[in-house]
Amino acid sequence: LRLVECPTEAPHVRHIFQTYANTHISLRQLAADLNRAGISSDYKVWTAIVVRRVLTDKTYTGTKTFGLKSSRK
């Protein structure tokens, strides 16, 4: 399975990661900046929780795994 970058979302996701990594901005302030810039999300508005979901999403962080099975005893 190959993941393909979404050309409309990728610049915004990169912006979120770069801004959070390179500044002392809070998640709340970053969300406010995204809303002020008119950047859309899957939700109605950006909130600190939505920004945190992007920053911890396994697809975006490169830690997504496929084909793992869990075993319970």
Side-chain angles (χ1 to χ4, degrees):
L1 180 66
R2 182 168 181 237
L3 297 176
V4 178
E5 186 177 275
C6 177
T8 57
E9 291 179 12
H12 304 306
V13 172
R14 265 191 228 100
H15 170 75
I16 291 168
F17 274 91
Q18 289 173 352
T19 301
Y20 192 70
N22 298 320
T23 66
H24 296 287
I25 196 168
S26 69
L27 296 176
R28 181 179 288 170
Q29 185 60 48
L30 183 50
D33 291 350
L34 293 167
N35 287 320
R36 202 172 12 262
I39 297 170
S40 63
S41 76
D42 291 342
Y43 303 89
K44 289 184 180 182
V45 295
W46 287 97
T47 64
I49 293 169
V50 174
V51 172
R52 175 172 280 134
R53 284 182 184 154
V54 170
L55 291 170
T56 59
D57 186 299
K58 291 182 180 197
T59 302
Y60 298 141
T61 61
T63 57
K64 187 144 186 139
T65 53
F66 298 94
L68 293 181
K69 294 180 182 180
S70 64
S71 60
R72 293 187 179 173
K73 293 185 179 186

